[in-house]
Amino acid sequence: MKFIDEYRDPQIALRLADEIKRRATRRWTIMEICGGQTHSIMRNGIDQLLGDTVEMVHGPGCPVCVTPLEVIDQAHSIASMPGVIFASFGDMLRVPGSVSDLFTVRSRGGDVRIVYSPLEALQFARDNPQKEVVFLAVGFETTAPANAMAVHQAAREGIDNFTVLCSQALVPPAMRAILSSQENCVEGFLAAGHVCAVTGYEEYRQIARDFHVPIVPTGFEPVDLLAGILETVGLLEDGRAEVVNRYGRVVSSDGNIRARELVSTVFEVADRQWRGIGLIPESGLSLRREFLRFDAARKFAVVHIRTEESPLCRSGQVLQGNLKPDACEAFGKECTPLHPLGATMVSSEGACAAYYRYHRNSELL
Amino acid sequence: MQSFNCPLPLMRHETVQMGHGAGGKLSRELMQAVFMPHLGNVFLDMLDDQAKLSLPSGHVAFTTDTYVISPVFFPGGTIGSLAVNGTVNDLAVGGAKPLYLSAGFVLEEGFPLADLVRIVADMADAARKAGVLIVTGDTKVVQRGSCDGIFINTSGIGLLRDDVSLSCRNLKPGDRILLSGTAGDHGMSIMTAREALSFQADIASDCASLNRMIESVLDAVPQVHAMRDPTRGGVAAVLNELASASAAGIELQEHAVPVRAEVRGACELLGIDPLHVANEGKVVVVVPEPYASTALDVMRSFDEGRDAAVIGSVTAEHPGMVVTRTSLGSRRIVDLPAGELLPRIC
């Protein structure tokens, strides 16, 4: 398939892996930001190709994983209300809240629908004027433009039965938080290609300077990832803390300017809780004052939510790259995709789910 | 699908009424105008409460399945052909020759009768192709909102061959694993047929009866160890079940699994593994290595098996697990899907 097969070419990939091993004079620790990259690394066994030269640690870039438990519980509470159509990306339905998940809400009579785009949820609102339609607007810079578009269109058309339960996260503040942590072991980053497609990578240059780390935006296929790792290793070996784009077919330095404008029209930067990690200042987006009437959390004043995380779950450590999923004592025992203790075991982008799916019993492989 | 003369002018209604399931005149009208013209045969025509069958001596296989698919019409089939082919295939993969089916319908009040005619005609067509008779049936009508248009249950009886012994516990190290064609066609056809998807893909379901092909494979290679049809959960689920039941390992050659380019593209977009996607016209055959090429040749001589391929082998290593070698030479587990297939966020 065009635009895919050439980036999965085994010969090119293996040549890149050899080049990485040749280039590295010591063992480097590199974090891939995005959960999609984590899954591709595990699925294609890229970590197995790197030998002892590079330790890949897995970043916080899984939107499902970092959505705060409070928001999940709010979602479950709103979705259970009569007269509400609750729309969500499919990934969010299995995420455990304090007491249940959206599948359970649906089985108890909640009108919970899977959508592929927030604009579909907006269409539900047009088609069902007597109902309240709520969209669970989670994600990073990648989903923000479409979520902003839905709110913007609703405002323009005067649709008053549509709201979003918003939990948008931003990557650069999370990178700064990881690098500032005393436990940090990350020496270089693979930046998330699709996030950079929206935002560009100008903002990353300051991070590279401030923390003296190389940052390489790259994609999701084996050749993309290996080329990104090779670039990062080269920069590390040369002691150059720079940003080098290895995803040129998708990413430009300024990103998608129209998408960024729309996002900043509708949203403003705000502090945000990250599930398992805690509060990171200015790491999220919330609706601007003129769009607050589309805020589901305000419209459906959900109070008395008492969240409770499983004491066994160490997903916060996993999300910061300080713990490999299979080093968690609950991994594959108390915590499996069917009975997840934390969101990292649920999402198709969660690191624990990737390890469980592709590499559990790794001694047998 | 056969062309049919719409018998609707005989009927007073355009949609299913509660009375169509009440056993009175409307019920009889439904039988005579919809079911009998398409499905009628010497058994069904008796209109008794049961079919009286005489079976050759030997062992019979008996199976049942219920079909609730939405949408009921999809590229490559309907809920009608699915209900016949699914039950025929469940018999065939056990080494049985399918003979007779029952059909039970649950209809929602208000379901268009023209759609019912189309579905029943498609069932008749599928039964004819598979060489089975629908010999008894039942219809119930439920109030609007109590079911999703139409549900169909089919049960089937088949005559077991005595020259084969098929079981998912039979896998032996060295066995070859064959798949009769491309993976994921049915599931992706259904996902893309659902209105919500904003992209169009030209993917038809593989819905088909496999009993003739399977019979020929078993005629040529009665040494086959196991057969399963990879429906829900896809090829990955069947391989995991076989590995687990036999306490054997399976080494899958992922790149040998045939997948249509359109299916692969749709799976890439949605973040779904084609190995997890349902099939309705495919069979996984496990056969001792010396017979693999014969079995493959027989499968490929049938239209429904023309893309058949050897996709892996059985090993004494990693018992109970399915492991694949990636194109990069690394290895990973091929897992069962965890519940419903969910498209990813970004």
Side-chain angles (χ1 to χ4, degrees):
Chain A
M1 199 181 320
K2 204 162 168 3
F3 301 123
I4 288 193
D5 290 336
E6 56 268 48
Y7 299 101
R8 291 181 186 171
D9 187 316
Q11 283 183 329
I12 301 175
L14 293 173
R15 209 161 54 226
L16 286 165
D18 283 344
E19 183 65 25
I20 291 165
K21 283 187 240 175
R22 250 200 317 277
R23 193 79 171 81
T25 58
R26 51 156 281 202
R27 187 175 172 84
W28 297 103
T29 300
I30 300 175
M31 173 180 275
E32 82 281 357
I33 293 287
C34 173
Q37 292 169 329
T38 305
H39 261 254
S40 183
I41 287 169
M42 302 311 293
R43 186 184 158 82
N44 294 294
I46 286 172
D47 51 333
Q48 298 168 41
L49 300 179
L50 299 173
D52 287 331
T53 54
V54 177
E55 166 98 18
M56 295 304 296
V57 296
H58 316 305
C62 161
V64 172
C65 305
V66 300
T67 300
L69 193 53
E70 291 82 356
V71 174
I72 306 282
D73 286 350
Q74 269 182 336
H76 297 169
S77 172
I78 294 172
S80 305
M81 292 178 179
V84 166
I85 297 174
F86 194 87
S88 168
F89 294 126
D91 255 8
M92 294 300 294
L93 265 65
R94 235 184 345 242
V95 178
S98 297
V99 286
S100 69
D101 57 37
L102 284 169
F103 277 124
T104 310
V105 171
R106 188 164 78 178
S107 71
R108 289 182 182 148
D111 189 350
V112 178
R113 304 185 187 180
I114 294 177
V115 294
Y116 297 85
S117 154
L119 298 176
E120 283 172 49
L122 187 60
Q123 191 58 42
F124 294 156
R126 293 190 191 99
D127 296 342
N128 300 276
Q130 77 291 359
K131 298 254 188 177
E132 284 293 335
V133 176
V134 181
F135 177 68
L136 183 51
V138 300
F140 287 91
E141 292 92 330
T142 38
T143 59
N147 293 342
M149 173 73 90
V151 170
H152 199 256
Q153 281 191 9
R156 205 179 52 206
E157 295 175 35
I159 296 172
D160 59 6
N161 64 328
F162 176 77
T163 51
V164 293
L165 187 59
C166 179
S167 182
Q168 296 283 161
L170 300 173
V171 167
M175 290 169 73
R176 286 180 178 276
I178 287 166
L179 290 165
S180 305
S181 156
Q182 297 207 325
E183 294 164 79
N184 173 54
C185 57
V186 178
E187 296 165 294
F189 283 102
L190 300 184
H194 291 159
V195 167
C196 294
V198 174
T199 62
Y201 50 84
E202 285 305 315
E203 194 180 351
Y204 292 75
R205 294 194 200 277
Q206 194 59 46
I207 299 177
R209 275 194 294 273
D210 289 352
F211 294 91
H212 202 74
V213 287
I215 302 173
V216 177
T218 191
F220 302 82
E221 300 300 339
V223 169
D224 292 320
L225 288 161
L226 286 160
I229 294 167
L230 176 60
E231 185 69 53
T232 313
V233 167
L235 292 168
L236 285 165
E237 289 287 341
D238 295 344
R240 288 157 56 206
E242 295 170 15
V243 178
V244 179
N245 180 16
R246 294 298 314 200
Y247 203 27
R249 69 184 188 280
V250 174
V251 172
S252 65
S253 67
D254 291 332
N256 182 333
I257 292 169
R258 288 190 62 187
R260 287 168 57 194
E261 281 172 1
L262 184 65
V263 169
S264 58
T265 303
V266 173
F267 293 115
E268 61 191 4
V269 174
D271 296 348
R272 184 190 192 275
Q273 290 284 345
W274 293 56
R275 187 171 190 175
I277 298 177
L279 185 112
I280 303 178
E282 301 192 340
S283 68
L285 296 173
S286 61
L287 290 164
R288 285 189 182 276
R289 200 154 51 89
E290 54 269 44
F291 294 99
L292 277 182
R293 64 185 186 282
F294 297 102
D295 183 354
R298 286 181 167 244
K299 190 166 193 170
F300 304 90
V302 183
V303 285
H304 305 306
I305 284 183
R306 278 189 52 200
T307 59
E308 204 172 325
E309 291 277 13
S310 162
L312 294 176
C313 180
R314 298 175 69 191
S315 61
Q317 295 299 104
V318 171
L319 287 165
Q320 294 172 84
N322 297 329
L323 181 74
K324 288 282 173 101
D326 53 359
C328 174
E329 285 180 4
F331 177 83
K333 300 188 186 88
E334 292 89 350
C335 185
T336 65
L338 271 184
H339 298 285
L341 297 181
T344 44
M345 187 52 102
V346 177
S347 166
S348 63
E349 296 180 63
C352 298
Y355 270 66
Y356 188 87
R357 195 161 152 191
Y358 301 127
H359 280 244
R360 72 177 181 280
N361 302 325
S362 53
E363 70 276 10
L364 293 174
L365 291 181
Chain B
M1 198 190 302
Q2 71 163 161
S3 65
F4 50 87
N5 296 317
C6 181
L8 282 180
L10 290 173
M11 304 193 63
R12 288 172 286 167
H13 301 280
E14 289 184 352
T15 58
V16 171
Q17 309 293 306
M18 290 304 291
H20 282 126
K25 280 185 181 170
L26 275 179
S27 294
R28 187 189 292 182
E29 199 175 276
L30 196 66
M31 273 306 283
Q32 289 176 343
V34 177
F35 292 113
M36 301 311 291
H38 295 289
L39 301 178
N41 55 57
V42 289
F43 302 100
L44 198 64
D45 292 349
M46 301 303 286
L47 294 177
D48 282 332
D49 281 345
Q50 71 294 119
K52 302 182 183 72
L53 312 168
S54 63
L55 293 170
S57 65
H59 290 94
V60 296
F62 181 39
T63 187
T64 189
D65 206 340
T66 303
Y67 300 84
V68 297
I69 194 168
S70 169
V72 294
F73 301 110
F74 49 86
T78 72
I79 190 173
S81 49
L82 191 67
V84 170
N85 293 333
T87 293
V88 164
N89 292 344
D90 280 348
L91 291 170
V93 295
K97 180 184 173 62
L99 297 173
Y100 304 114
L101 264 54
S102 69
F105 294 82
V106 178
L107 303 175
E108 185 183 9
E109 180 185 21
F111 188 72
L113 278 168
D115 286 356
L116 180 61
V117 170
R118 195 174 150 197
I119 288 164
V120 171
D122 199 35
M123 286 183 90
D125 197 38
R128 200 159 31 246
K129 281 181 188 153
V132 297
L133 295 175
I134 294 170
V135 293
T136 185
D138 177 56
T139 305
K140 295 284 188 296
V141 179
V142 296
Q143 283 184 352
R144 192 179 258 279
S146 298
C147 90
D148 188 9
I150 177 170
F151 297 156
I152 302 177
N153 170 275
T154 54
S155 297
I157 293 177
L159 194 65
L160 274 168
R161 302 170 66 116
D162 54 13
D163 59 341
V164 300
S165 165
L166 303 173
S167 162
C168 56
R169 285 181 290 275
N170 276 353
L171 272 61
K172 301 282 183 296
D175 285 358
R176 292 294 183 264
I177 296 170
L178 282 54
L179 176 65
S180 67
T182 50
D185 298 356
H186 176 74
M188 271 302 135
S189 151
I190 299 305
M191 280 193 103
T192 52
R194 287 186 181 154
E195 289 171 33
L197 278 191
S198 53
F199 64 88
Q200 296 271 314
D202 187 18
I203 300 171
S205 166
D206 55 350
C207 180
S209 58
L210 301 171
N211 53 321
R212 293 180 198 277
M213 179 177 75
I214 288 173
E215 192 176 351
S216 295
V217 170
L218 292 176
D219 285 345
V221 186
Q223 295 86 352
V224 168
H225 278 161
M227 281 198 205
R228 292 295 291 270
D229 50 340
T231 53
R232 280 171 302 175
V235 173
V238 159
L239 296 183
N240 273 283
E241 283 161 21
L242 290 169
S244 161
S246 296
I250 289 180
E251 186 95 31
L252 176 72
Q253 305 299 324
E254 192 176 23
H255 296 271
V257 177
V259 180
R260 278 182 211 291
E262 311 88 284
V263 171
R264 220 180 123 198
C267 283
E268 290 288 344
L269 277 175
L270 296 171
I272 289 173
D273 189 337
L275 291 171
H276 287 162
V277 182
N279 310 275
E280 288 293 346
K282 296 291 157 30
V283 59
V284 170
V285 179
V286 185
V287 60
E289 192 274 331
Y291 306 102
S293 65
T294 309
L296 193 65
D297 289 345
V298 175
M299 284 157 89
R300 284 180 175 162
S301 70
F302 283 79
D303 202 34
E304 54 270 33
R306 64 180 177 279
D307 298 319
V310 178
I311 61 167
S313 56
V314 180
T315 163
E317 289 169 39
H318 50 80
M321 277 169 60
V322 183
V323 172
T324 189
R325 193 165 283 283
T326 70
S327 61
L328 306 184
S330 49
R331 303 174 85 194
R332 68 173 172 86
I333 294 172
V334 177
D335 207 0
L336 288 166
E340 201 176 330
L341 293 181
L342 300 172
R344 65 172 164 225
I345 287 184
C346 58

